[in-house]
Amino acid sequence: MATIIFYILGFTALIATGLCITRRNPVHAVVYLVNALFALALIFYLLGAPLVAAWEVIIYAGAVMVLFLFIIMMLELAPNPVDEAAGPGWMRWGPVLLLGLVLVACTVLLILVDGQSGEGVPTYYASPQDFGYALFSRYALAVQVVSFQLFFAAVGAFYVGKPPKRRRKEQA
Amino acid sequence: MAEGIDVYKRRYGQNPKSLWRDLKGTVEPFYVTLRNMFKKPVTYQYPEEKRTPYPRYRARIVLTRDPEGGERCVACYLCSAACPVDCISMQSSEDENGRRYAAWFRINFSRCIYCGLCAEACPTLAIQMTPFYEFSGRDPLKMVYEKEDLLIADGGKDNEYNFYKHAGIGVANPRGGNEDEYGPVDVRSNLP
Amino acid sequence: MPILTIDNQQIEVLKGTNVLEAAKGLGIVIPHFCYHEALGAVGACRLCAMNFVEGPVKGIQMACMIEAKDEMVITTTDQASQEMRARVIEWLMMYHPHDCPVCDEGGECQLQDMTIAGGHDIRRYGGKKRTYSNQDLGPFICHEMNRCIQCYRCVRTYQDYCGGTDFGVLGTNQRVYFGRFRDGRLESPFSGNIVDACPTGVFTDRTFRYRTRYWDIEEAPSVCPHCSLGCAVIPGGRFRELQRVRGGVNKQTNGFFICDRARFGGGYGNHPERPRVPRVDGAQTTWPEALRALRKRITDLVARHGPGAVAFLGSPRASLEANYLLDSWAASLGSRRIAFDSHWQHDRSARVAAGKLGPRAASLEDIRCSDFILMIGVDPLNEAPMLALAVRQAVRRGVRLAVIDPRPVTLPCAAAHLPLAPEALPDVLEALAGGDIRRLGRREAVLLEGILEQLRAAERPVLIGGPDLLGAAGIERLLDTARLLASEHRPCKVMTVLAGPNSFGCGVLARQGPDFEAILNGMLAGEIKALVCLESDPMTGSSDPARTGMALGKLELLAALDYLPTAAAHHAHLFLPTTAVPESAGVYVNNEGRMLLFSSAMDPGTPISVSGGGDHPPRTFLPATPGSEPRPAWATLGHLQGRRLSLRDIRQAIEMEHPNFAGLSSLTTGGEGKRIADISPPPETAPEIPFPHSEGEGTLRLYAMEDFAGSGELAGYASALAPLRPTPFVMLGALDAKQRSLSDGQQVRLRSELGGVGVALRVVPDLPAGIALVPRLRGTALESYVPGRGHYDCQILSEDEEKT
Amino acid sequence: MSDFAIDILLILVKLGLIFAVLLTGAAYLVLAERRVLGRIQRRYGPNRVGPFGMMQPLADAVKLLTKEDFIPAQADKPIFFVAPGLAAVTALLAFAVVPFSPPITLFGREVPMVVCDLNIGVLYFLGLSSLAVYGIALGGWASNSKYALLGGIRGLAQLISYELAMGLSLVPVVLMAGSFSLTDIVLAQNPVPFALLNPVAFLVFLISTAAESKRIPFDIPEAENELVAGFHTEYSGMRFGLFFVGEYINMMILGSMITVFFLGGWIGPVLPPIVWFFAKVMAVAFVFIWMRGTLPRLRYDQLMHFGWKFLIPVSLINVIVTGALLLWLKG
């Protein structure tokens, strides 16, 4: 059963990614990419990495793609480009509905039929604890380096984004 | 901005950026709303409780009559022109002694907003408003009132006034026969 | 050109402009009553006071009476002149009655506006008011003297401008009375203009009495369809009914005024029998059904008998767009059988005028400014009334006017009248062009010699001719004459009165096509199986009703698009309703080739007063407006050809196909219109068709003539004009009457090829011998006497002779 | 009957119950809100349909279902159709991990009173709430209306900003409970709820949930007097209804989350656990309504300043302090 779900999710992710690449409407592309990311997160969950799955959703689908969408919505103020699948209605909204339904169904299925309960469970199960230990003991140095880099990046962004002195004075 | 801060300073007598003031300003309203929750609502439960409007309340429109019992309306169209929702329509006409009157006069009460501009505009005090406000129906056609439905057998708010006694066109009295008029001139009375 | 300063703004104006006009040019509108652009200034109302600070005159002056001069500095906003205006308004309002609610002028009353503008809102005068008795001024004008403010505009309009004699002013101190000597209809055919001229409600339109307020009327600038002059009018409708027509302003055509036929003859669109629903074989049907049937029948006929089996008849009262689409429909079917006027003489005349008039066309404004006028074969008051008024304005300036016409041409001004028999008119034209003058009688020759002398001496002469007596050949000769008389320094302009409002446009579209006589022959020969009539009735222009009737009877398909209950509309196998002029938009090309736009003032539909039964609108909610089926003819014709065109598309197509209509699509309503570009080279001359002359023993040559209110196709359906229609009469010269021992006013019997009719006799002193005249009066026995078809042989007998 | 089948049956029964309770609850929450708001404004609120207006939700539902389903011209139809569903489904899915009560014994089986006790329940909740943004953003964008677009953009900015604060305020909870599982978190609050142990986290979470559910004073995406109705301006009929129901389900979810994370879940004396749970959820819902009746809407910049410059720093400091305290207590 887990194998079947895996393949379903895999194909979903593939199709969604393909559609994402071929869409000319950026918002549609984002929607398909979110679908793909969600399918990927479910695959992670299926493979025994719930923490990674959750972060996939929270960070990629929930934050990065939202920022993409934010920018697109701010910029894409021209009238909607011509729908690429200018054909019958289902051609346009069929794929997204289908993929969405598949994902929701898989989510429900995965939640209900507990991943740890039966067959097909992967041999290695990465619980949040395992993950945390790995991150902060074995890879502590790497994490520190990355976090410093992020910190520098944040400081840099703050500096670049700061209004010039003169303007600050005016604002005050 | 600075003035605003001054106002705050005067009112609170302390630093306007005080956290205490902010907290108080956030929490106090909760108390106010909670207190209100336990007060009796001021709503009239309309169909059961009715209120008596004042005599000059602006509701259903009527057409009044002059002291002699004639229709006051001269179909001058001023009410329909004043009406902001175009609910008044009429057709003026003339009777055998030259009196101008409305052949038909119609108010669509399903459109009327009871603003009173028609009564304000009426130069002959024909159109007046009454306090009868319970006035609704499900069939819009039944809300269309004709002259026969609108006319009342009374002069309404100014019972003495008769437009034709002042207009000087010889309908109520013969031409030149009103009290503030000289006798009529005609082409022959001008002859030497 | 003087430059003056008004309220600190400088303006340069033409020499002779008065200060009031100059201020108007700056957008400063100062109240005034007596001044009117057409009537001039008299300084009677004392309202246009301005303060002249610098310049040749000083102090408070009446601006309309002062000519603009250089270095004038004028203020209108200072306290003194403002106060003066306010006081004058207050004096004017002192006796004014308190009857605005029952006054028809209310809402468009200049006095109301000026009172408000002058800031006068409370009457301080508490004494008695002066009153007047009113007069019955007939079916068109209402009189309410109490409202008078003594601006004298009515008298100046009626007497001075329009030449009416039966209305005037009489007064002692404050009892000035404007009226007639006794009750009765105002006799001038321009009497309605005092309604427009009166700034308050003294004279109001009786046909419009108590009908509508100004603010409820849907108005749009339009063009009068009653004659070919193209006067600007403003029809106004309400409750789907034409309520009134008032004069529009077009300085090139009518100026400011219109005739009573235009003003009171607008009711044809509200005729109670107007067909409003499409009909197929006499049964009412829906639009898609009727259109499908028409298209199918015509394709069937074309398939069976070839494209020549379908003929088309356009109309001089249909818009240029509709006529053009009819033409293009015929062309797309492959049929060249299209005529634009059922009256072939009028049709030919229009083609000649359209082809040859060119830059010598005179507008009414040219006539007003001319210095010698020769009218030949034209009866303006009956054929084109505003022409008479234009001529009067010239005559008022001292211009000489000569009339050569057998008919007793009545004009509102003095004229030298030379009554010549119609047969002599071609000789006169010859003579004008330099031919032999001695072919005419001695007396006539002397008179004509005088006319010719004046014509040669004049600097801006205008020749005016009409098609009814001259015919196409005569019109052509008149145009040639004008060309001969004109030189580089001396323009000689011509005006040809044509039959319908769009005759000129039809003439351009018709080119070398057949006339309706040829189509009639085809119908009689059985070659033509179908006739499509666009807003036209073949019977109305036909010289031989029996022959036309027979030809129509042979048709397999008679299709009519019309808004009038004509005979053709009634008998048509297929009828499609169209919109009347006030309900539709389009272009008319008037008799001088001026393209004039008219726009739709109201929607078609059965008037509320009719659909409601009596005067009460029905108390129902209907999904559609009753009687609103009529569609503009151009829309229907476009639809029939499967083309969805807007008016703009059609106009652009016309411009493409006929380059002389250049500028058509950029015209705007309410403007002066635009002369069409000249046709070059001019089309070939129409074949000359001589007048048939036949002499019979004891017979008279009977000519039909137009009547002011009784002849026009549209006027015939306007019920308001009924009081103006005369009872049938026949006119006879004094000599002929004496020979037959008949006397004026006697009831006689008129017998001609069209049968016998009993009519009253009018003896006219200077009618040439051997000639009788009848007016064409629709709806009477004289309906079938068509002007412009030549003459009828007739006999006039007294009733007693008839019995024996 | 095999165990597996019984499991499935139980799960379906639980699902059905949750659906029924949630949807009815949402409907009556609407009514409750209108009544409470009415009382705050010294009115009665809807009291005409049925006794005390109890049938009002039914009437509303009938009205919404029979209204014209209007689609603006030039709207991006597929996304326009999907968006309201997305808003409602993400809200519904989050309920899968909420435990209402300790496991009960039924027919000799121990039945957990939660659809699925995920060991990453907290993260699951956070993930779904981060996906809820899409309903608003896409709905606003697809309407092809400037008001809806502005509402959508505002919604995007607001939701991702406050999600950060929400997530950070949950870190101390996880630290204190030592588990991502919601059941474990509830059990860890016996006897003292975390709201008392860590009031700062509680307040930050309360504020962020109010912002997440787009309710006054944080209803900037649909600010009526600026944006007509914000992201759902162009929605009508049942599509609008889905957004509406989604909002109230969201309110119940967030109420449940507050209950679970900070108010000790089902734990309480005397009364049965499930009653305690619902009482707490309703109390939170009442606070939300009370807040709506009391506070004015924030301005957009105030909202952003408050979120980024106050809530996030405060919750970060709270994480460090809580962590340090826990280490100190353990060590």
Side-chain angles (χ1 to χ4, degrees), chain B residues 74-78 80-81 89-94 98-100 103-104 106 123-124 140-142 144-146 148-149 161 163-164 166-169 175-176 179-191, chain C residues 95 97-104 125 127-135 144-147 170-172 175-177 180-182 206 209-213 215-216 238-239 243 608 615-621:
Chain B
V74 297
C76 69
Y77 293 92
L78 280 178
S80 73
S89 55
M90 76 191 85
Q91 178 61 56
S92 52
S93 187
E94 187 179 13
R99 183 182 175 126
R100 184 172 164 140
W104 51 269
R106 180 181 277 188
T124 64
L141 268 181
K142 289 205 176 114
V144 178
Y145 276 52
E146 300 292 347
E148 299 73 46
D149 312 322
Y161 185 71
F163 169 75
Y164 280 110
H166 300 272
I169 56 162
R175 288 183 80 80
E179 57 187 63
D180 47 359
E181 284 173 353
Y182 294 115
V185 179
D186 67 18
V187 70
R188 245 156 276 276
S189 67
N190 264 327
L191 291 176
Chain C
Y95 280 149
H98 167 66
D99 64 351
C100 292
V102 294
C103 173
D104 259 340
Y125 175 70
K128 285 188 166 189
K129 284 187 194 172
R130 170 195 62 187
T131 57
Y132 292 94
S133 305
N134 296 334
Q135 285 182 328
E144 178 52 70
M145 262 308 288
N146 283 0
R147 298 173 187 147
L170 184 66
T172 54
R175 295 140 52 104
V176 181
Y177 196 89
R180 284 166 57 88
F181 191 68
R182 54 173 60 86
R206 191 182 281 282
R209 183 160 170 86
Y210 295 172
R211 299 280 291 276
T212 306
R213 283 287 180 210
W215 57 75
D216 284 332
R238 175 172 171 256
F239 287 159
Q243 302 281 359
I608 279 185
D615 52 8
H616 204 287
R619 288 182 58 102
T620 43
F621 289 139

Side-chain angles (χ1 to χ4, degrees), chain C residues 11-94:
Chain C
I11 187 168
E12 186 173 4
V13 292
L14 289 174
K15 200 166 161 22
T17 313
N18 64 40
V19 175
L20 188 61
E21 280 290 321
K24 209 184 267 179
L26 281 173
I28 303 167
V29 179
I30 296 299
H32 57 271
F33 288 120
C34 64
Y35 173 73
H36 187 285
E37 219 178 315
L39 303 175
V42 289
C45 71
R46 314 309 290 169
L47 198 51
C48 58
M50 294 186 188
N51 197 355
F52 289 67
V53 183
E54 294 289 334
V57 281
K58 293 263 172 70
I60 302 265
Q61 299 286 343
M62 292 306 119
C64 68
M65 298 301 287
I66 309 277
E67 193 185 322
K69 292 267 166 56
D70 266 324
E71 285 163 20
M72 276 185 168
V73 177
I74 301 152
T75 62
T76 65
T77 51
D78 65 300
Q79 207 189 343
S81 58
Q82 271 186 339
E83 200 165 299
M84 160 115 186
R85 294 199 294 265
R87 292 283 172 272
V88 171
I89 276 285
E90 190 168 1
W91 293 330
L92 290 177
M93 286 302 292
M94 206 170 85

Side-chain angles (χ1 to χ4, degrees), chain C residues 576-653:
Chain C
L576 302 172
T578 61
T579 49
V581 179
E583 299 156 359
S584 52
V587 172
Y588 278 154
V589 186
N590 81 349
N591 63 337
E592 47 149 338
R594 187 176 292 279
M595 299 181 283
L596 297 160
L597 243 61
F598 56 95
S599 47
S600 128
M602 53 191 274
D603 291 328
T606 314
I608 279 185
S609 55
V610 175
S611 66
D615 52 8
H616 204 287
R619 288 182 58 102
T620 43
F621 289 139
L622 298 171
T625 317
S628 63
E629 278 90 349
R631 297 179 180 177
W634 54 265
T636 308
L637 286 167
H639 199 265
L640 279 168
Q641 297 170 56
R643 297 158 75 184
R644 291 211 169 265
L645 299 167
S646 70
L647 270 179
R648 198 182 158 74
D649 298 338
I650 303 172
R651 287 177 192 158
Q652 278 167 349

